[in-house]
Amino acid sequence: MSKKIKTTSQQLTRLFLSLFIILLLLVNLTFAAISITFIYNNAHQQAEEVIDTVRDNISDHDDHKNKKEWKLFLNAYLARQSNDAIAVKTPKGKTVYSEDGEELFKKTRGRGNFNHVVFLNNSAYYFQTEQEDKYQISVILNVNDLFTLITHLLLAIIILNLLAIIFSIPLIKRFSKKWSQPLEKIDQDIAAIENQRISKKEVFVPQEPAEIRHLAQSFNDLLEYQEQAIKREQQFVTDASHELKTPIAAILGHINLIKRRVKDLPDIIAKSLKYIDSESGRMEVLVNELLELGRAKKQHQTIESIDLVSVIYKESQIIDQEYHCSIDL
């Protein structure tokens, strides 16, 4: 089964649609990368601010606080609406947590993280620890809201991209067909020339694009050259037939003359044979010249000039003898 050949319009549609999809994919990937980078930088900045604030407000005598006091102290630096947590390890080795912070730190402890990002119970957390003098301050920030927002934006963009692809298909087809119209018109003209449906053998020459315009012009030049070559061949056959017809007619005439008058005028045989021999030699010369001319056209040989006056004089003598007429030169 032969494979169906695609048209130029179909190939252009497929190419432009593929490029459009690749462009949208690159835009989406770029947006996702920028969004993730923004989330990470924002979480890192918030964690640094919380750690710096706790570090600036902590002192050596705070080591004597009880857990309740530490909890109240650490809760002051957390956003109430976020599921964040702070842990501080005192110089005495005691670890204190903010409200519900101990449970969150236990859940995240031992879990693998990707560049300080931990995923727990379908939520994303940013984890960071810094050592400040004798205190070790750890912060966990819930960045799931930002991830959710970015995810919703990505889904919205993907849906918009799908709609853009669906609505762009007819537009791309329309433009592809418009751009391929010159080629289709040239193809139709070539088919019409092959089927001899048009008298003027010429294809449509578009104004643009330049490559197709040059192609059509070159094809028209080739058609014109072929037309001239066919006319030259036809003229060559006509001239050759005309040139060969004269000696053949003379030979046949003398043969018929011998048949009719051989008994009455026996002397006519010698004269007729002389004419037959002369015309046969002339026809041989014509055939050789035609063959030489044909080889010269094929091999692009240089044809030497001849004395046309002597040729005309010789031909006039032959005509004078055959048709008994007077020719003035």
Side-chain angles (χ1 to χ4, degrees):
M1 184 179 229
S2 60
K3 187 177 179 180
K4 186 178 179 181
I5 301 176
K6 295 181 179 179
T7 62
T8 305
S9 177
Q10 291 174 339
Q11 291 180 343
L12 288 174
T13 301
R14 182 177 180 181
L15 175 62
F16 291 147
L17 187 60
S18 301
L19 291 176
F20 184 60
I21 293 174
I22 292 173
L23 180 62
L24 289 179
L25 181 61
L26 291 175
V27 171
N28 292 338
L29 291 176
T30 304
F31 176 78
I34 294 174
S35 301
I36 293 174
T37 303
F38 169 77
I39 294 174
Y40 181 83
N41 291 335
N42 184 67
H44 177 74
Q45 185 177 2
Q46 288 183 9
E48 287 286 344
E49 290 177 355
V50 172
I51 292 175
D52 290 341
T53 304
V54 173
R55 181 179 55 199
D56 293 340
N57 291 277
I58 202 169
S59 60
D60 292 338
H61 67 273
D62 289 333
D63 191 21
H64 302 288
K65 291 180 179 179
N66 55 37
K67 288 186 177 181
K68 185 176 181 181
E69 291 174 337
W70 274 109
K71 186 178 295 187
L72 293 174
F73 173 75
L74 296 177
N75 286 341
Y77 305 104
L78 296 177
R80 295 181 179 275
Q81 68 274 15
S82 300
N83 187 15
D84 302 335
I86 302 176
V88 176
K89 188 175 182 181
T90 65
K92 293 182 179 181
K94 181 177 65 174
T95 303
V96 292
Y97 302 93
S98 60
E99 187 74 28
D100 299 328
E102 184 175 2
E103 183 180 358
L104 185 59
F105 273 98
K106 286 181 180 179
K107 290 180 180 180
T108 57
R109 189 177 296 120
R111 284 185 171 270
N113 64 84
F114 178 74
N115 205 7
H116 301 286
V117 177
V118 180
F119 292 94
L120 177 65
N121 298 330
N122 297 324
S123 297
Y125 295 90
Y126 181 84
F127 177 82
Q128 185 169 337
T129 300
E130 289 189 9
Q131 188 74 31
E132 175 62 28
D133 294 334
K134 299 177 182 180
Y135 290 90
Q136 178 178 310
I137 305 173
S138 300
V139 177
I140 294 180
L141 299 179
N142 187 349
V143 293
N144 193 63
D145 292 341
L146 290 175
F147 271 105
T148 302
L149 176 62
I150 297 301
T151 302
H152 290 165
L153 287 176
L154 282 174
L155 290 176
I157 291 176
I158 291 173
I159 294 174
L160 291 175
N161 290 340
L162 292 176
L163 293 176
I165 292 173
I166 293 173
F167 286 108
S168 66
I169 290 176
L171 293 176
I172 292 176
K173 284 184 176 180
R174 181 179 178 183
F175 286 119
S176 299
K177 188 174 182 180
K178 181 179 179 181
W179 290 331
S180 63
Q181 276 182 350
L183 287 176
E184 294 178 358
K185 177 61 177 174
I186 292 174
D187 182 63
Q188 293 173 0
D189 290 345
I190 293 175
I193 292 173
E194 290 178 348
N195 298 326
Q196 297 181 350
R197 294 198 302 265
I198 57 177
S199 58
K200 188 176 182 181
K201 294 184 178 180
E202 188 178 71
V203 299
F204 169 71
V205 180
Q207 295 297 325
E208 56 184 15
E211 294 83 358
I212 299 180
R213 177 180 176 83
H214 294 159
L215 175 64
Q217 289 175 341
S218 300
F219 190 80
N220 285 336
D221 294 340
L222 180 61
L223 287 176
E224 184 178 358
Y225 175 80
Q226 184 184 35
E227 184 73 16
Q228 295 297 328
I230 293 174
K231 289 180 179 179
R232 287 195 299 269
E233 294 294 333
Q234 292 174 348
Q235 186 65 37
F236 176 79
V237 172
T238 302
D239 294 342
S241 301
H242 179 73
E243 291 294 331
L244 291 173
K245 187 183 297 183
T246 301
I248 291 175
I251 292 172
L252 292 176
H254 282 285
I255 291 175
N256 291 329
L257 181 62
I258 292 172
K259 289 179 181 180
R260 293 196 311 268
R261 310 294 297 275
V262 66
K263 293 180 180 180
D264 300 336
L265 300 171
D267 297 338
I268 203 173
I269 295 176
K271 185 178 179 181
S272 296
L273 289 177
K274 181 181 178 181
Y275 277 111
I276 291 173
D277 181 64
S278 175
E279 294 300 324
S280 298
R282 181 188 174 201
M283 187 166 61
E284 182 181 5
V285 171
L286 285 174
V287 172
N288 290 333
E289 289 177 349
L290 292 175
L291 292 175
E292 185 67 24
L293 182 60
R295 285 194 296 268
K297 286 186 176 181
K298 292 180 180 179
Q299 300 175 4
H300 303 284
Q301 296 178 351
T302 303
I303 302 176
E304 297 180 356
S305 60
I306 61 171
D307 186 4
L308 187 59
V309 175
S310 61
V311 174
I312 295 175
Y313 182 74
K314 184 178 178 180
E315 292 295 326
S316 65
Q317 287 181 329
I318 295 173
I319 295 173
D320 184 40
Q321 293 174 2
E322 295 295 332
Y323 298 100
H324 304 288
C325 60
S326 178
I327 299 177
D328 295 328
L329 301 177

